Amino acid sequence: MLSISSRLSADGTAAFGFGGDYNPEQWHPSVWQEDVALMKVAGVNLVSVGIFSWALLEPSEGRYEFGWLDDVLDLLQESGIRVDLANASASPPPWFSHRYPQSLPVTANGVRLGYGSRQAFCASSPEYRRAAAALTTEIAKRYASHPAVVMWHVHNEYGCHNQPCYCEVSGAAFQRWLERKYDDIDALNEAWGTAFWSQHYYRFDEITPPRQSGTFVNPTQVLDFARFSSDELLDCYRAEADILRAHSPLPVTTNFMGFSMGLDKPIDYWAWADHMDLVSNDHYLVAEDPRNFQELAMGADFVRGLASGGPWVLMEHSTSAVNWQPRNIAKRPGELRRNSLQHIARGADAALFFQWRAAKAGSEKFHSALLPHAGTDSRVWREVVELGADLVAIAEIVGSRVCGAAVAIIHDTDARWASELDSHPTIDASLLNETRLWHDALYRLGVTTDFRRSTDDLSSYGLVVVPMQYLMTDAGADSLRSFAGNGGTVVITYQSGIVDEDDHIRLGGYPGAFLSLTGTRIEEFYPLHEGEEVELTRYGSGRVFSELGRPLTSEVLAEFAGGPTAGSPAITRNRVGMGTVYYVGTSLTPAGARELVTEILTASSIPVPQKSGDDVEITRRSDGTRTWLFAINHGSADAVVTVDGVDLLTGAATEGTLTVASGGVAVVRETVA
Ligand code: GLA
């Protein structure tokens, strides 16, 4: 991964990126001087420009007007503020959609979406692709050597609003994609199980996207369409990124939405990450989620996985309320600081926001910004300025990596997509919820977790959690088997390893892919009623799911004590080679998960930090020589953390223990023992 941190300061000293989306075209040029003056006050050093500027940059086809953007970039350059320059392909202008209405996306039920919002295009549209490439070429040619520009921002949040598209053009592209994948139609029929319901195809050109039909559409067709749709957008990204790279050596990125309220669903981020010079992510808190800080931590851990463990860019978050949730709750004092430093604690080398100046018009006029409607005499502005100073105080950490993660959580995109298909045992089983349950149990104990794919090298971990990885390839199952065989500990939950990559059941007892690992054979699922809990003989109660099965080689740690499968194993432990595999056949309560995780960590000799309070988050970054401990207290009581060193935020030395006030943050350069 490339880095931009040494280009953010005048003297080349590495700095955290601090700033956000800057949309000067929404304001009269007389405001721009004030913008940069205030950016300097706050310590802003990086802004993203031009993301939604297509309509102004290209007023009519092939006619470009860059004058205003030249002025903005020159002004930023004079002020020493660096630019993440967009290629502006995210929102085709009305003239484009008007002229090429066939480029507008179509929903599964055949409705062609209108324009007047953003991202109004079909990823397979040749007109869109041609126009985006032409615009990207002009921008690359004009600004590749502009001294303010330090990185390229392709598009914006791919797939957020327009994915997937079910139009005829997408349908033809889907047929070609399928032909490349299967080569022969019989292979497709086999993979899709088309003997069912008379769905046999004789030619690729008979196939359509999985449009709305009378009832459930073929699930493998839906899964392949998800894969195709992600690939189709990736083609768009790659074409535009290639143009930028041909003109300039600067790093290219596009902003991901890792785990963001399901908005990330259309994209296989693992596949995309290989094409980023720098991984970047947007994260917005769900204001009404009482543990949204833990959800933030999980999202950041996932993005760090996408960045192969190295630093990444937090491209957007919010200083306070957003505009698009049902109730847009403002952040409380100190929350902005905790959120930003939390991302940094988990590997971000930049804390950027949407957006610099709060808009006065348009759909996002109630979205918070660094500079609020109220101006500089405001709580948000004061907190922004303080955060700018904090980032300078901890600048020595830039470029270091999060260290000490002894636990990995497996998250395969195909498993996620397949788990969310129709006609499953229960709508209450959710891969994301189950992932969050296990991440939260580890989070409460202060244990840092990485996210990995099942096929990744897992050898550096002591414990690997497999939460509801419903679809499992042979390669993934082999990888986990050898991890366990070599002495690792694995936790596998219900609804894991149920199907292969074609969404075909693995026969002979569940969980088919993992039977030899769990040593517990499940013969029938017994999903629970909505809200029902069944008691377990240990670890509290189970929710969502229960199962009928029996141990083959495993030892039963807990049985279902009540409910339809009373007496059947709920939690088992199996020895596999030199390792241990736990199987959990239900969704535990947070307390039950904590109890089990604590036992597993102890049995696996994985250290747990010394701290008081569940909501005190502990992580470390290291540059190989020095380590820094981040302690962030989201709880309502002050907390005590065991650490020796200097808190960079206050300059105070700590010996042995440090009290982190409720809502407070400490960033301690640790004393080398
Ligand atoms: C996304 C987009 C931004 C803006 C914010 C609002 O992250 O990238 O353009 O719409 O949401 O929260």
Side-chain angles (χ1 to χ4, degrees), residues 5 43 66 94 96 102 126 197 205 234 292 302 390 423 431 516 534 539 570 596 626 657:
S5 7
F66 287 114
F96 174 84
Q102 68 277 25
W197 280 356
D205 63 11
L234 181 57
N292 56 16
F302 176 48
D390 284 343
S423 312
L431 179 150
S516 67
V534 284
Y539 311 104
L596 180 59
R626 296 167 296 175
T657 59

Side-chain angles (χ1 to χ4, degrees), residues 21 52 118 156-157 255 282 284 316 322-324 354 364 367:
D21 286 20
F52 296 109
R118 63 177 171 184
N156 193 66
E157 294 188 339
N255 43 344
D282 298 349
Y284 289 94
E316 292 180 28
V322 298
N323 63 290
W324 44 265
F354 179 82
E364 294 182 331
H367 197 292

Side-chain angles (χ1 to χ4, degrees), residues 57-335:
L57 294 176
E58 190 181 0
S60 60
E61 189 152 12
R63 186 167 67 81
Y64 298 96
E65 280 185 10
F66 287 114
W68 68 271
L69 187 54
D70 293 350
D71 293 346
V72 168
L73 295 192
D74 291 349
L75 182 62
L76 290 164
Q77 166 60 16
E78 283 156 26
S79 310
I81 295 161
R82 304 292 185 235
V83 174
D84 162 45
L85 186 62
N87 71 333
S89 65
S91 201
W95 65 253
F96 174 84
S97 311
H98 182 253
R99 183 161 185 180
Y100 302 107
Q102 68 277 25
S103 69
L104 289 164
V106 172
T107 63
N109 55 3
V111 174
R112 194 175 285 279
L113 297 179
Y115 51 98
S117 63
R118 63 177 171 184
Q119 272 190 3
F121 67 92
C122 153
S124 306
S125 157
E127 295 85 8
Y128 170 77
R129 288 183 175 209
R130 193 183 60 229
L135 176 66
T136 305
T137 306
E138 293 303 315
I139 290 177
K141 280 198 308 210
R142 192 168 188 97
Y143 298 112
S145 316
H146 196 288
V149 179
V150 294
M151 63 189 284
W152 298 109
H153 184 113
V154 175
H155 200 82
N156 193 66
E157 294 188 339
Y158 271 101
C160 187
H161 309 295
N162 62 342
Q163 213 28 25
C165 173
Y166 295 79
C167 76
E168 290 299 327
V169 176
S170 299
F174 183 41
Q175 291 166 358
R176 291 192 296 274
W177 184 94
L178 291 169
E179 216 163 341
R180 282 197 300 277
K181 174 170 177 177
Y182 293 105
D183 192 28
D184 119 11
I185 197 76
D186 289 339
L188 178 140
N189 281 305
E190 179 60 31
W192 287 15
T194 55
F196 177 77
W197 280 356
S198 179
Q199 291 172 351
H200 193 93
Y201 291 98
Y202 290 91
R203 296 158 52 106
F204 281 98
D205 63 11
E206 294 163 359
I207 299 169
T208 62
R211 298 193 175 112
Q212 190 172 330
S213 190
T215 183
F216 308 117
V217 178
N218 183 303
T220 317
Q221 181 180 0
V222 178
L223 183 58
D224 267 345
F225 192 63
R227 292 162 171 156
F228 154 78
S229 299
S230 175
D231 283 358
E232 204 68 350
L233 276 178
L234 181 57
D235 277 354
C236 293
Y237 166 81
R238 291 181 64 184
E240 294 166 36
D242 284 352
I243 294 170
L244 296 167
R245 290 194 186 107
H247 287 86
S248 130
L250 297 177
V252 181
T253 191
T254 187
N255 43 344
F256 290 167
M257 301 173 282
F259 285 157
S260 269
M261 297 179 68
L263 292 174
D264 57 318
K265 187 175 171 187
I267 307 287
D268 178 0
Y269 283 134
W270 290 113
W272 282 55
D274 292 341
H275 302 279
M276 302 296 131
D277 299 330
L278 198 55
V279 167
S280 63
N281 193 55
D282 298 349
H283 183 271
Y284 289 94
L285 284 184
V286 178
E288 292 181 89
D289 175 347
R291 293 188 59 72
N292 56 16
F293 50 89
Q294 179 266 325
E295 191 275 338
L296 183 162
M298 182 170 105
D301 290 345
F302 176 48
V303 176
R304 186 176 67 255
L306 299 174
S308 307
W312 50 278
V313 169
L314 175 63
M315 189 64 86
E316 292 180 28
H317 65 320
S318 69
T319 58
S320 189
V322 298
N323 63 290
W324 44 265
Q325 293 180 13
R327 281 161 293 277
N328 294 300
I329 313 286
K331 289 191 181 175
R332 306 298 302 273
E335 197 173 355

Side-chain angles (χ1 to χ4, degrees), residues 583-600:
Y583 179 68
V584 183
T586 186
S587 187
L588 295 175
T589 61
R594 183 200 178 100
E595 188 186 345
L596 180 59
V597 164
T598 306
E599 270 180 41
I600 294 174

Side-chain angles (χ1 to χ4, degrees), residues 67 90 148 206 335 341 389 397 412 428 471 474 490 548 597:
E206 294 163 359
E335 197 173 355
L341 293 176
I397 301 172
D412 288 346
D428 296 328
L471 179 154
D474 291 346
V490 183
L548 182 67
V597 164

